[in-house]
Amino acid sequence: MSPTIFPVDVDSTSNTINSILSLINRWEPVAHSACNAVSLSCLLGFLVFVEAPKRYPPERRWHVFTSRANQLLLGMWIFGAAYNIAMIYYDGTGSFSSLTAATVLITGVETCYVWFSWLRATVILGFHTPPRIYHLFKNLTYIIPFSGIVPIILEFLPFNKGSLTAAIMYMLGVGIGGIVTCVVDLFFLYSFIAHARQYSADEKAPAATNTNPSGASTKSKVNELRIIASFGVWSTAFALATLGCFLGAVVCMLLQPGRMEGSVLTAYFVCW
């Protein structure tokens, strides 16, 4: 059975490095599942024992789960946990159906990530962008969930699920959501950097008064937006690097269709 996520034969015994990377690639979903379980437990603990008592009276503490931001955060971790379980099942059985399920679930992760990022930084995004551009990118975020439909369609098409054609169609389908996520991430990155530069310029101006984009003059709010912008730069850069690795895996498959080996296989394992 192929140790890769896609139904393509590989020669993982061609050298020691590839053998090691193949083993890592096989156990990576298991490690992710364990980390995901710990992270989800920590998030639930924080919401229940820290945020809920701080924000709500005892009889309304369950409302902590009605917050859209919290729902999206939980969605990211829950979809991520389910994705890892689907990938473990795929590694064990090679079932194309489990691969389809994994794709739909990773689309859920992308959707929750982008929607949470937008919700968190909507003030910054609107302040540094003309209304027409702002609404254009906001509408783009609604396309991401529909990219999960593509693998479902592929599931019912009459072709060999283990062929290179199936693998390429699958990756192109996944790529739709990835490309849209990348475009929106670039918009995030531009807005966050612009806000960080403006904050730095205001700090250096001798007579400057720190004001946030909504017009409030509270220093705490300005600092909050600065933190969001700084964190947003790093999280967006990480998301873009992840998509770059995915595209690198696609290029490796196209360079050696049907069977990967040698340095191309090494590059594939590293990217994936």
Side-chain angles (χ1 to χ4, degrees), residues 2-3 39-41 55 88 90 101 105 114-115 128 130 132 137 142 146 152 165 184 202 211 215 228 236 256:
S2 168
S39 299
L40 182 57
S41 299
R55 292 178 174 266
I88 292 172
Y90 172 74
L105 292 167
V114 170
W115 288 4
H128 293 283
R132 183 176 297 180
F137 279 96
Y142 298 126
F146 293 100
I152 297 176
T165 301
V184 176
D202 289 345
T211 59
I228 290 174
T236 301
Q256 291 186 353

Side-chain angles (χ1 to χ4, degrees), residues 73-144:
L73 272 176
L74 286 170
M76 273 191 283
W77 291 112
I78 292 172
F79 279 125
Y83 164 79
N84 286 319
I85 292 173
M87 287 310 306
I88 292 172
Y89 183 78
Y90 172 74
D91 283 343
T93 64
S95 167
F96 196 84
S97 297
S98 60
L99 190 58
T100 300
T103 307
V104 175
L105 292 167
I106 202 65
T107 300
V109 174
E110 290 178 340
T111 301
C112 290
Y113 156 72
V114 170
W115 288 4
F116 174 78
S117 298
W118 191 282
L119 182 65
R120 175 191 61 186
T122 184
V123 175
I124 293 175
L125 300 175
F127 181 63
H128 293 283
T129 312
R132 183 176 297 180
I133 302 298
Y134 174 87
H135 289 292
L136 171 63
F137 279 96
K138 186 175 183 179
N139 291 332
L140 275 179
T141 65
Y142 298 126
I143 297 176
I144 299 173

Side-chain angles (χ1 to χ4, degrees), residues 184-196:
V184 176
D185 273 338
L186 287 172
F187 175 58
F188 287 157
L189 192 61
Y190 160 78
S191 299
F192 292 146
I193 291 176
H195 187 78

Side-chain angles (χ1 to χ4, degrees), residues 4-6 25 28 83 171 245-246 249 267-272:
T4 69
I5 185 174
F6 303 108
N25 190 77
E28 178 264 344
Y83 164 79
M171 297 185 81
C245 289
F246 177 83
Y268 174 88
F269 280 136
V270 171
C271 288
W272 193 251

Side-chain angles (χ1 to χ4, degrees), residues 5-102:
I5 185 174
F6 303 108
V8 176
D9 291 331
V10 299
D11 181 9
S12 59
T13 62
S14 57
N15 58 55
T16 304
I17 294 178
N18 286 347
S19 298
I20 295 173
L21 292 175
S22 176
L23 183 63
I24 294 173
N25 190 77
R26 186 179 297 277
W27 285 97
E28 178 264 344
V30 178
H32 269 186
S33 295
C35 293
N36 203 299
V38 172
S39 299
L40 182 57
S41 299
C42 292
L43 176 59
L44 286 171
F46 174 80
L47 294 178
V48 172
F49 298 110
V50 179
E51 184 169 352
K54 182 179 179 180
R55 292 178 174 266
Y56 303 98
E59 66 276 8
R60 298 181 62 245
R61 286 182 181 175
W62 61 272
H63 283 200
V64 72
F65 295 107
T66 64
S67 162
R68 189 182 180 193
N70 291 340
Q71 289 173 346
L72 292 173
L73 272 176
L74 286 170
M76 273 191 283
W77 291 112
I78 292 172
F79 279 125
Y83 164 79
N84 286 319
I85 292 173
M87 287 310 306
I88 292 172
Y89 183 78
Y90 172 74
D91 283 343
T93 64
S95 167
F96 196 84
S97 297
S98 60
L99 190 58
T100 300

